[in-house]
Amino acid sequence: MSVTGRIPSGLISHRVHHLADGREAIFFADANAIAPEPAPDARALDPRGEPGQLRYDRLTGDWVAVAAHRQSRTYLPPKEECPLCPSTQGRHSEIPAEDFHVVVFENRFPSLGPDLGRIPAAAPVQVPAPAYGRCEVVVFTPEHEGSFASLDDARARTVIDAWAQRTAALSAMEGIAQVFPFENRGQDIGVTLHHPHGQIYAYPYLTPTATKMATQAVAHLEKTGRTLMGDILDFERKEGTRMVAAGEHFSVFVPFAARWPLEAHLVPHRHVPDFAALNEAEKDELAVMYRDLLRGFDALYETPTPYISAWHQAPVAGKEREASRLHLQLTSPRRAADKLKFLAGSEAAMGAFINDVPAEQTAARLREVMP
């Protein structure tokens, strides 16, 4: 089944399709184009399983997802067996079409979901809660080789629109507290598929990092009447030594207290909570600036740079949403051409980071190689 619709935030069309086991797949079109028509999914797939578990850590107040079914997920298959490439007459993939622009589909091996619901604020006894939520895969291109950095302007813009549409849709689902688009790129990061893609997690709780940032943002807003990220951005733009690039709507800088040898933040000048709140001009600039930042990371060395691209969006509701601003945290453990930073005792056990590379040095290197 396929339904064509219009996306108010900018795309010409998208199609909502359903895979053989009932999962949704949304086909997004580039500007001035129609999303390719998917075919029926001819695979014989097992029915979807029940959600995994959420276990509450009473020592820290954090939720931990237990998803044993993910042990059987696909791991670094060869190109001819890639589940993210277009389907052909002789091989059916997760995408039932011979061509596409951008596709978002529910993960076959989700950490959260497929059921939706509300979880308790805490679990005072050691009883698991259902792992409600939703996990989606965002496929940037039908090409097996490349990365987001290799996309042209139009395709990069389509991905931005897909993130905006999915943020709005997921935020409206029952029990969702936070929507997190991200990308793990490179085998050194731990990717399981090489095809250019990202993911979106819709959590039924605020994650530990989001909680810490929101707490800081709320306290700053209540004390000063100003937003924390806005003040940080203003300071970095005036001080200048950690600035990497500045546009009309966005800026890139290396944070003063960077934890990783390669780290950059991409921040909108306007206070917006998430992708869905961006206007058309902001999306246009973001598509190119983000793509060029990734190209800068790759230009630092002779081989592609592994990275985690984390899009921090405001919580779905509450005072935390008013205080929090959309921003990208792009990090890489690469500290030299042939060396990686590993999280050892201080970082992994205590969360106390030690960075060997000053933020000002990283910013200067990125300024030299940015397109």
Side-chain angles (χ1 to χ4, degrees):
M1 177 181 178
S2 179
V3 179
T4 302
R6 298 186 69 83
I7 301 175
S9 58
L11 282 181
I12 297 300
S13 68
H14 69 290
R15 297 180 187 275
V16 180
H17 197 67
H18 287 89
L19 303 179
D21 56 2
R23 286 176 293 138
E24 271 193 334
I26 304 98
F27 286 69
F28 292 88
D30 290 343
N32 302 314
I34 301 298
E37 179 68 52
D41 185 359
R43 296 174 297 171
L45 299 180
D46 292 333
R48 303 187 72 183
E50 297 295 320
Q53 295 181 353
L54 289 177
R55 297 190 178 190
Y56 186 72
D57 184 345
R58 296 166 65 189
L59 286 176
T60 65
D62 299 339
W63 287 99
V64 177
V66 180
H69 57 279
R70 286 175 55 79
Q71 285 280 52
S72 60
R73 67 188 186 275
T74 307
Y75 181 75
L76 298 179
K79 177 181 178 180
E80 59 272 15
E81 298 176 14
C82 175
L84 306 185
C85 284
S87 290
T88 64
Q89 291 185 352
R91 188 188 70 86
H92 299 293
S93 72
E94 286 281 74
I95 302 174
E98 294 184 355
D99 189 24
F100 59 87
H101 297 167
V102 173
V103 177
V104 180
F105 62 85
E106 291 183 78
N107 198 320
R108 189 176 176 185
F109 304 98
S111 302
L112 303 168
D115 293 350
L116 297 170
R118 300 186 183 278
I119 63 170
V125 294
Q126 292 176 199
V127 176
Y132 292 139
R134 182 141 161 167
C135 295
E136 298 183 339
V137 178
V138 185
V139 187
F140 303 150
T141 170
E143 301 298 326
H144 183 74
E145 307 295 336
S147 67
F148 192 103
S150 61
L151 301 181
D152 62 22
D153 291 1
R155 184 57 51 79
R157 177 66 157 82
T158 304
V159 176
I160 299 296
D161 269 311
W163 283 335
Q165 194 272 346
R166 297 314 301 150
T167 293
L170 293 168
S171 297
M173 292 182 179
E174 181 187 4
I176 299 303
Q178 177 186 352
V179 178
F180 175 51
F182 67 99
E183 180 191 359
N184 301 323
R185 189 278 187 93
Q187 198 164 339
D188 289 328
I189 291 297
V191 298
T192 57
L193 297 172
H194 287 305
H195 193 113
H197 73 287
Q199 300 181 66
I200 304 175
Y201 275 24
Y203 299 95
Y205 56 89
L206 284 189
T207 62
T209 294
T211 299
K212 289 173 67 175
M213 289 195 300
T215 299
Q216 290 287 101
V218 168
H220 186 84
L221 182 63
E222 291 177 345
K223 180 179 179 179
T224 68
R226 302 187 305 272
T227 62
L228 177 58
M229 183 56 80
D231 278 4
I232 291 173
L233 177 60
D234 288 345
F235 177 84
E236 294 296 347
R237 295 180 74 188
K238 292 175 183 176
E239 201 275 341
T241 59
R242 288 172 295 278
M243 288 296 298
V244 175
E248 181 181 355
H249 304 289
F250 289 86
S251 286
V252 179
F253 60 87
V254 178
F256 175 74
R259 288 166 166 76
W260 296 91
L262 289 177
E263 181 169 351
H265 290 188
L266 192 162
V267 180
H269 297 168
R270 187 167 66 93
H271 188 69
V272 292
D274 54 27
F275 280 112
L278 294 174
N279 62 39
E280 299 304 300
E282 289 167 335
K283 291 177 188 175
D284 287 342
E285 183 175 279
L286 177 59
V288 176
M289 185 173 282
Y290 172 53
R291 191 265 321 275
D292 287 351
L293 175 59
L294 296 180
R295 289 180 178 179
F297 263 49
D298 277 348
L300 291 170
Y301 300 103
E302 293 183 358
T303 56
T305 296
Y307 62 75
I308 295 175
S309 178
W311 290 99
H312 296 287
Q313 303 197 97
V316 168
K319 60 183 180 181
E320 295 85 359
R321 182 171 180 82
E322 178 187 359
S324 303
R325 181 180 300 199
L326 167 72
H327 67 281
L328 167 73
Q329 181 189 30
L330 181 66
T331 61
S332 175
R334 195 173 198 177
R335 58 187 179 91
D338 58 349
K339 296 177 181 178
L340 296 176
K341 174 185 176 65
F342 293 96
L343 297 189
S346 182
E347 291 96 349
M350 299 306 294
F353 276 72
I354 304 166
N355 192 354
D356 299 330
V357 184
E360 296 76 13
Q361 179 180 324
T362 300
R365 294 182 65 207
L366 286 172
R367 285 195 297 267
E368 291 177 357
V369 300
M370 281 286 288

